Each structure stands twice: as C-alpha cells, then as structure tokens.
Amino acid sequence: MTGASARVSVRPAARDAAIEGFAAAVRDGLSRTPRQLPTRYLYDSLGSALFEAICRLPWYRITRAEAGLLSRHGTGILGAYGPFARIVELGSGGGGKLATLLATRPAGAAPLRLDLIDVSRAALDAAAQLLRAFDGVDVVGYQADYEAGIGDMVGQGTGRGPALVLLLGSNIGNFDPADAVALMRRIREPLGSGDALLLGADLVKPEADLLLAYDDPLGVTAAFNRNLLVRMNRELGGDFDVASFRHRAVWNPAASRMEMYLVSTRTQQVRVPAAGIDMAIRQGEAIWTENSYKYTVEGVTEMLEQGGFIPRTRWVDEDARFVLTLAEAGGF
Ligand code: AVI
C-alpha cells in the first residue's frame, strides 16, 4: 500500500457555531413535553468511542451483519456502475464500514476520492488515518451534519465517473419516516445518472433481541446514552447529577422503533445555564434521546422510491435481519 494524502477540513468557527446550536437544541428539547434531546448530540468524542464499542458487542449485530454483506458483495457493489470515481459517506464514523468495502477493490483500481461526513471530529480523524492506507485514494473529511454535508459535498463531481453515496449502519433508522424520505430526496437532488446510493437498514426482529441490543448487559449503551448528560455539563455548564439518571430502552411496535430514554431516579432541580434551562424534573420522568426505526424489506424499497431512487439489488442477512440495498439515482 502506498498511502494517499488525507485531509480533514473543518469549517472556520465550527466549534462556536456547534456550541450555539447545541444550546439552542437543548433549550428547545428540554422545554417540550415529553422532554427530548436531538440524537446527533450523542456523538461527541467519548460518545463516538462508546458507539464504536457498542458495534463490537455480541448483542448489537448491525455492524457485523453489514460488514459481512459488504465484504461478500463489495466487488459487485463497486463495479455496479463503475468503477465509481468518488464515494461520499454520510455518517462515516471511524471509517470501518468503508474500509471493509475498499478491501474488496481490485489491485490497480482507478483512483478514488473519498468524502467523509460526520459530526464527530475524533471519528473523522480516526477514519482518515484508517483509509489513507488504501492505494489510490484521496480522503477528505468534513465535520458536519448530513444536511450541511450533502449541500457542500455530494454535488461536487470529480468529472471522472459516477459517485456512490453510502448511508450505512442503519443510520437512516435514527430519522423519523418523513425525515428519512426527505433525506433520500436531499441526497438524490445533486446526483446525476449513473450515481448510486448504498443503504444499510436494520430489519424488524424479535423484541427480546432488540432489547438486548439497546440495553446490553455490559451497560455500554447505557453509558453512551448517559454521556449526553456529561456533555451538557461540560459544554453548557449543566449540573445534571449523572448517577441519578438511568438508561431505558423500549420497543414501540406501533411505530416499529426502539426508543431510548434517560429516566430521573429522583425528583430534582437541574440547571443548564448556557441553554437557559432551570427545570424541575420528577422522579420517573424521562428525557427521550433516540428513535431507532426497524424496517421491512418492502418498507426500505418504498422509502427509496419515494426519495427518487430505483432499488436495483438487495442483499439480506436473514439471521441478523439486516438489508443492504444498492439503488440508482432515478427521476422523481
Ligand atoms: C447510529 N445508529 C444507527 C445506532 C442505532 O442503532 O440506532 C445508534 C445506537 N443507539 C443505541 N445503540 C446504537
């Protein structure tokens, strides 16, 4: 391996803007009934590391199931419309999913530009480090949420060939259904003919399996969830007593989603000065932190079609109940 140049670009003043956005989101979310916090704030540097640990847990099978499909079918995926000149990954995390796919690339393959979009700087640094080891790749990391990332990066062609957008790890599951379709359409907009989307989505499975995946016996998911309180204390001057909140995961069959909450074990007063919050929280009161939707194969197809894509090939891990779908950019 020769190794390529890896750049991680961060917008100027991203940190201040991010803190302001965080404060506004906390003010808005904690003032609602039920109280809630946007999921994306789970991923500070510790949160991203805890999420990487979740991916290694025996009870959380998404990552391994997807990696198995990517390594078994990677050659077909990369050659489908290609070779692709560019891969854009939304929510790249530490780059592991993309590394699995790139490992299936034939020796001497055409040069490839990799654009990685993630809210976590630490995850982007780790991804750039991992991916620069592949031959003939130019890696650019971009610290942004999907919306900003798509606006700035998905539309930039290389002029050398088609682009493949990756939305893996069932990251789509953290969007409510209408937002998920809106995201598909947003991704589709700047793409041209021959460009494609590879979507990984977790499928409905027995409730007992889901509860173990989202409330694991080692308590890693609980730590991941409670770290949001630690983050609010550190970045917004909050005084959450972290030990007096417990993690709760529930399956909501009507909405077909797992839900995560932080439940106060006592009645208490909490202040978050930078967000202008001074609130009384009752014993047993919950703060809603995440939805994780679980799909049917038909539901994934429908979502892609509503988003302007034509699903072409799908690979299912029947045991873990996970589907990978390659879809072509179609008309609306
Ligand atoms: C990133 N996302 C797809 C994960 C999920 O399964 O919804 C986040 C997660 N939450 C709890 N465990 C993992």
Side-chain angles (χ1 to χ4, degrees):
M1 291 191 185
T2 54
S5 56
R7 291 176 275 145
V8 178
S9 47
V10 181
R11 279 180 168 177
R15 192 175 153 71
D16 289 344
I19 295 263
E20 261 171 42
F22 185 28
V26 167
R27 183 164 44 248
D28 175 56
L30 291 183
S31 310
R32 292 185 186 209
T33 311
R35 297 187 200 278
Q36 49 201 271
L37 290 165
T39 300
R40 57 168 291 200
Y41 294 105
L42 289 164
Y43 301 90
D44 64 352
S45 121
L46 179 55
S48 295
L50 287 166
F51 176 63
E52 295 284 332
I54 288 173
C55 294
R56 295 163 168 236
L57 294 173
W59 309 280
Y60 189 83
R61 299 181 65 187
I62 290 179
T63 319
R64 278 182 305 281
E66 186 173 62
L69 294 174
L70 287 172
S71 57
R72 280 197 295 284
H73 305 291
T75 312
I77 293 167
L78 291 176
Y81 301 94
F84 292 106
R86 188 160 176 251
I87 296 182
V88 180
E89 183 168 14
L90 297 169
S92 60
K97 305 180 287 284
L98 187 45
T100 305
L101 184 61
L102 292 183
T104 68
R105 221 167 139 241
L112 188 58
R113 173 170 156 167
L114 306 176
D115 292 308
L116 312 179
I117 297 158
D118 203 281
V119 289
S120 164
R121 169 78 200 219
L124 284 172
D125 286 340
Q129 185 67 28
L130 179 68
L131 296 168
R132 70 195 306 177
F134 285 90
D135 274 337
V137 299
D138 185 19
V139 189
V140 181
Y142 192 75
Q143 188 179 7
D145 58 21
Y146 292 170
E147 186 58 31
I150 291 165
D152 285 16
M153 302 193 75
V154 176
Q156 295 173 20
T158 58
R160 280 190 279 108
L164 174 67
V165 179
L166 305 180
L167 184 56
L168 298 174
S170 207
N171 286 344
I172 190 66
N174 298 132
F175 289 78
D176 288 335
D179 293 339
V181 170
L183 177 63
M184 298 282 117
R185 296 179 81 91
R186 193 71 189 85
I187 295 171
R188 167 66 190 89
E189 243 165 56
L191 297 180
S193 82
D195 293 338
L197 170 68
L198 183 67
L199 178 72
D202 202 20
L203 298 172
V204 174
K205 58 200 85 207
E207 181 174 359
D209 294 350
L210 287 166
L211 292 175
L212 276 170
Y214 287 83
D215 193 2
D216 65 90
L218 283 180
V220 183
T221 312
F224 170 66
N225 197 8
R226 280 151 42 120
N227 177 55
L228 192 46
L229 303 174
V230 178
R231 181 176 186 179
M232 285 190 284
N233 285 352
R234 185 185 63 244
E235 293 185 16
L236 304 177
D239 65 356
F240 280 97
D241 172 21
V242 178
S244 69
F245 285 84
R246 68 176 182 84
H247 167 69
R248 185 165 78 207
V250 292
W251 169 240
N252 178 337
S256 196
R257 68 188 185 208
M258 285 301 298
E259 298 170 354
M260 279 198 337
Y261 297 91
L262 289 162
V263 184
S264 179
T265 57
R266 61 182 174 85
T267 295
Q268 54 186 311
Q269 196 70 25
V270 177
R271 277 157 296 269
V272 188
I277 291 287
D278 188 346
M279 66 180 185
I281 184 155
R282 284 176 287 103
Q283 180 176 9
E285 197 175 336
I287 303 173
W288 193 356
T289 53
E290 187 189 72
N291 288 328
S292 192
Y293 286 84
K294 305 300 164 190
Y295 300 91
T296 59
V297 166
E298 298 71 30
V300 172
T301 299
E302 207 176 300
M303 173 169 63
L304 282 162
E305 286 174 350
Q306 286 175 0
F309 287 94
I310 307 162
R312 291 291 189 205
T313 316
R314 96 166 58 102
W315 301 272
V316 180
D317 181 325
E318 291 292 356
D319 191 41
R321 303 292 303 143
F322 185 89
V323 64
L324 204 53
T325 310
L326 183 64
E328 195 182 325
F332 283 104

